[in-house]
């Protein structure tokens, strides 16, 4: 139980009608979850406006209403608070209601277009390996110590985050690592949290359906660093052309990592093969189990964060050298007979696909063909579809265009959007097969001895979303089944 006035600390209030000393048992942004003596925060979303549910919330037992526009007719014994921004208010109120759990642990946020999940997961595994009890909030899963909680969004809503963090604190967590997507930053899901540190991986073409312009996408990512406190650390990728810009206005302590220029955390690739990466990290030579230049960057970011948190650099490298990455991020299996390398990766942006294919090309001994299976998600940024197709055809020997998560769109129409990005010379390289299972089967059939088959786009996902229904589908399982079926 908390007093309404106390949980409104730091919220930008415009007007109040009612008793600010009213006691609140719970706070919610979903009117369906309300109970007696709860507080309802009405947020304008992309699909629905919480203001339309104010009366329903009161009927469910809400005694306090937080909204940007108050209703004309007000009920007795209900306190109405008009705020500047309901989403921001939810962030601050959740933090206050749950006793500011983020300020009692070391919380590190990771943002950027690619690499967020791998960096957050590696940090979680590293600090667990260093003997700490840790919390993880990621695209793949939320985790408290060894207890795994499935995740439905990159970043949950503000109330869920603070409730999770309170649970993490109660269960003895000292460190929390979380992905901070541009949507979460813009929608104030992380507003009110106290971050001990923040990392920037890179920024490339993504989510322009939501942010409308690349400049706006950059501005939102940058605001995460702008709002850090002076006692926090901020680590950025010096090799990304916007890496310096991200930190230019932060009051946090600034650090950079790089493979190409002088930096606080400097790496050099000595060897990159299917067995892993051999890196020189700040003059220390280490072998890692992860593969690819993009993972060299991820490892440097993780190493830098651990050093910034006061860990011994040699112990950090020792533990890091034994870690595997996140599920669905450059996971590979080798077929038993023909030794075909099958790779499953979440790459769903042009840049991520290019990174993976560049890494795949470096794994070749010379004669192996690269066969890529790729699609694009429905109801998402359409401008990247032709770019994805072009990248796939430019850097593969053969390509199979297929469905990803078409959602409410027609899969064939998405593939047609992809095909618009192709040069005439690329048209003999690809075929289109809408059924994803058949597409993977065809790619395996096309593969000869020691060839490389890349299945891109869905990674860790265990479903395919078609017309509002999530059908069970696992790229890695299907790929393995096809190896067995065709006795490859």
């Amino acid at each position: 139980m908390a007093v309404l006035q106390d949980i409104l600390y730091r919220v930008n209030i415009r007007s109040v009608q009612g008793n600010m000393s009213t006691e609140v048992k719970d706070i919610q942004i979903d009117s369906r979850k309300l109970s007696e003596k709860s507080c309802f925060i009405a947020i304008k979303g992309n699909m629905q406006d919480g203001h339309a549910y104010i009366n329903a919330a009161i009927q469910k037992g809400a005694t306090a209403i937080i909204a940007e526009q108050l209703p004309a007719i007000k009920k007795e014994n209900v306190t109405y608070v008009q705020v500047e921004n309901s989403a921001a208010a939810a962030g601050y109120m959740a933090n206050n209601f749950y006793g500011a759990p983020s300020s009692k642990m070391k919380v590190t946020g990771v943002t950027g277009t690619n690499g967020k999940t791998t960096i957050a997961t590696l940090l979680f595994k590293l600090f667990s390996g260093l003997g700490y009890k840790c919390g993880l909030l990621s695209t793949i899963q939320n985790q408290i110590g060894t207890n795994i909680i499935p995740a439905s969004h990159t970043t949950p809503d503000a109330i869920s985050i603070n409730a999770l963090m309170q649970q993490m604190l109660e269960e003895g967590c000292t460190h929390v690592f979380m992905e901070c997507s541009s949507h979460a930053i813009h929608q104030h899901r992380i507003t009110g949290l106290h971050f001990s540190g923040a990392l920037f991986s890179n920024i490339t073409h993504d989510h322009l359906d939501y942010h409308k312009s690349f400049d706006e996408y950059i501005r939102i990512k940058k605001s995460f660093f702008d709002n850090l406190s002076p006692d926090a650390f901020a680590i950025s990728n010096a090799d990304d052309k916007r890496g310096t810009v991200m930190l230019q206005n932060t009051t946090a302590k600034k650090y950079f990592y790089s493979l190409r220029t002088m930096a606080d955390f400097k790496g050099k690739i000595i060897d990159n093969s299917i067995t892993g990466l051999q890196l020189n990290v700040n003059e220390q030579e280490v072998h890692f189990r992860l593969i690819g230049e993009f993972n060299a960057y991820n490892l440097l970011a993780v190493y830098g964060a651990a050093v910034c948190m006061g860990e011994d650099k040699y112990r950090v490298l020792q533990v890091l050298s034994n870690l595997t990455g996140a599920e669905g991020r450059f996971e590979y299996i080798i077929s038993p007979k023909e030794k075909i390398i099958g790779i499953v990766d979440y790459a769903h942006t042009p840049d991520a696909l290019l990174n993976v294919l560049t890494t795949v090309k470096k794994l070749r001994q010379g004669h192996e063909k690269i066969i890529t299976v790729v699609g694009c998600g429905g109801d998402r940024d359409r401008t990247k579809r032709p770019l994805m197709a072009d990248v796939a055809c430019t850097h593969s020997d053969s390509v199979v265009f297929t469905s990803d998560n078409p959602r409410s769109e027609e899969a064939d129409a998405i593939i047609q959007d992809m095909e618009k990005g192709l040069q005439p010379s690329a048209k003999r390289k690809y075929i289109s097969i809408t059924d994803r299972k058949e597409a993977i089967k065809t790619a395996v059939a096309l593969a000869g001895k020691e060839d490389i088959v890349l299945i891109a786009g869905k990674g860790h996902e265990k479903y395919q979303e078609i017309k509002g229904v999530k059908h069970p589908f696992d790229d890695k399982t299907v790929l393995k089944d096809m190896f067995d079926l065709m006795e490859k």
Side-chain angles (χ1 to χ4, degrees), residues 239-422:
D239 295 344
D240 187 280
K241 58 184 175 184
R242 290 168 184 93
T244 306
V245 171
M246 282 291 150
L247 305 193
Q248 69 183 13
N249 298 119
T250 188
T251 58
K253 299 175 192 74
K254 301 179 190 180
Y255 300 90
F256 291 91
Y257 62 95
S258 170
L259 287 175
R260 296 186 168 86
T261 186
M262 290 302 294
D264 305 280
F265 309 110
K266 177 75 171 76
K268 183 183 178 184
I269 296 175
I270 299 163
D271 187 44
N272 175 24
S273 69
I274 199 71
T275 61
L277 277 164
Q278 189 81 11
L279 286 182
N280 185 306
V281 179
N282 282 10
E283 305 306 317
Q284 188 77 18
E285 204 166 300
V286 192
H287 182 272
F288 298 97
R289 294 173 68 179
L290 301 180
I291 300 163
E293 184 181 88
F294 60 95
N295 272 323
Y297 281 107
N298 294 335
L299 288 160
L300 286 174
V302 170
Y303 170 74
V307 171
C308 286
M309 282 188 269
E311 299 303 316
D312 177 77
K313 59 185 181 181
Y314 299 112
R315 178 82 180 114
V316 166
L317 290 173
Q318 182 189 1
V319 176
L320 257 185
S321 68
N322 288 311
L323 298 184
T324 53
E327 184 186 5
R329 270 61 175 176
F330 213 91
E331 278 196 284
Y332 69 90
I333 52 176
I334 299 173
S335 70
K337 291 185 179 176
E338 296 188 10
K339 306 300 177 191
I340 298 164
I341 300 172
I343 298 166
V344 172
D345 193 90
Y346 188 55
H348 61 285
T349 67
D351 191 68
L353 186 60
L354 177 61
N355 282 341
V356 172
L357 283 167
T358 302
T359 299
V360 169
K361 285 165 101 170
K362 288 177 181 173
L363 296 177
R364 283 201 296 197
Q365 302 299 309
H367 62 279
E368 306 92 335
K369 295 197 307 288
I370 298 171
I371 301 146
T372 299
V373 177
V374 65
C376 289
D379 304 333
R380 297 292 186 270
D381 185 357
R382 292 185 176 203
T383 62
K384 69 183 181 186
R385 293 174 186 175
L387 303 176
M388 294 277 286
D390 182 53
V391 168
C393 285
T394 302
H395 298 278
S396 311
D397 297 290
S398 300
V399 179
V400 184
F401 293 149
T402 191
S403 61
D404 189 288
N405 289 319
R407 300 184 177 90
S408 71
E409 289 191 69
E410 293 296 332
D412 290 337
I414 296 171
I415 292 171
Q416 285 166 18
D417 283 347
M418 294 175 70
E419 290 170 346
K420 290 171 187 172
L422 298 178

Side-chain angles (χ1 to χ4, degrees), residues 174-188:
T174 54
H175 296 71
V176 178
F177 305 102
M178 67 181 294
E179 293 184 49
C180 298
S181 68
S182 57
H183 288 67
I185 299 164
H186 185 247
Q187 294 168 8
H188 293 282

Side-chain angles (χ1 to χ4, degrees), residues 42-283:
I43 295 175
K44 286 179 186 172
N46 290 332
M47 307 296 285
Q48 292 184 315
D49 186 348
H51 290 77
Y53 298 92
I54 288 174
N55 284 336
I58 293 166
Q59 286 172 8
K60 290 275 264 181
T63 50
I65 300 294
I66 313 298
E68 291 171 22
Q69 285 101 33
L70 300 183
I73 300 167
K74 298 175 183 64
K75 304 282 175 73
E76 282 186 42
N77 303 319
V78 175
T79 302
Y80 295 86
V81 182
Q82 186 183 22
V83 296
E84 187 79 33
N85 185 313
S86 294
Y92 290 122
M93 291 175 72
N95 178 62
N96 297 331
F97 182 80
Y98 286 103
S102 62
S103 65
K104 297 164 187 170
M105 301 177 287
K106 288 186 176 179
V107 179
T108 302
V110 186
T111 197
T113 308
N114 305 314
K116 293 187 296 294
T117 303
T118 297
I119 292 170
T121 302
L122 283 173
L123 280 165
F124 174 83
K125 289 181 175 182
L126 168 63
F127 276 80
S128 299
L130 290 169
Y132 299 99
K133 187 165 186 180
C134 302
L136 173 69
L137 288 94
S138 82
T139 308
I140 297 173
Q141 63 198 30
N142 301 319
Q143 197 165 340
I144 302 173
T146 55
N147 182 26
I148 294 169
I149 306 154
S152 57
H153 298 86
T154 309
T155 319
D157 65 75
I159 295 169
S160 301
I161 289 172
N162 281 275
L164 257 174
M165 286 201 177
Q166 184 200 42
Q167 192 182 342
M168 288 171 178
L169 185 65
E170 285 173 352
E171 294 191 24
C173 291
T174 54
H175 296 71
V176 178
F177 305 102
M178 67 181 294
E179 293 184 49
C180 298
S181 68
S182 57
H183 288 67
I185 299 164
H186 185 247
Q187 294 168 8
H188 293 282
R189 289 186 236 157
I190 61 171
T191 294
L193 296 180
H194 180 268
F195 286 92
S196 299
L199 293 94
F200 170 70
S201 59
N202 50 61
I203 196 159
T204 60
H205 187 118
D206 200 18
H207 300 310
L208 300 194
D209 55 324
Y210 179 85
H211 299 299
K212 306 308 177 195
S213 75
F214 195 52
D215 285 345
E216 175 69 0
Y217 182 40
I218 293 165
R219 186 191 67 76
I220 289 161
K221 292 280 192 195
K222 185 178 173 298
S223 70
F224 176 45
F225 296 92
D226 293 349
N227 292 320
L228 292 173
S229 61
D231 63 347
F233 64 84
I235 302 176
S236 184
N237 181 352
D239 295 344
D240 187 280
K241 58 184 175 184
R242 290 168 184 93
T244 306
V245 171
M246 282 291 150
L247 305 193
Q248 69 183 13
N249 298 119
T250 188
T251 58
K253 299 175 192 74
K254 301 179 190 180
Y255 300 90
F256 291 91
Y257 62 95
S258 170
L259 287 175
R260 296 186 168 86
T261 186
M262 290 302 294
D264 305 280
F265 309 110
K266 177 75 171 76
K268 183 183 178 184
I269 296 175
I270 299 163
D271 187 44
N272 175 24
S273 69
I274 199 71
T275 61
L277 277 164
Q278 189 81 11
L279 286 182
N280 185 306
V281 179
N282 282 10
E283 305 306 317

Side-chain angles (χ1 to χ4, degrees), residues 15-49:
S15 67
V16 177
Q17 294 183 44
N19 181 12
M20 289 285 273
S21 298
T22 190
E23 289 196 325
V24 172
K25 275 187 178 177
D26 190 20
I27 58 172
Q28 290 292 346
I29 59 172
D30 184 342
S31 61
R32 295 167 298 183
K33 296 179 180 177
L34 291 164
S35 55
E36 290 293 320
K37 290 195 173 181
S38 53
C39 173
F40 176 61
I41 306 164
I43 295 175
K44 286 179 186 172
N46 290 332
M47 307 296 285
Q48 292 184 315
D49 186 348

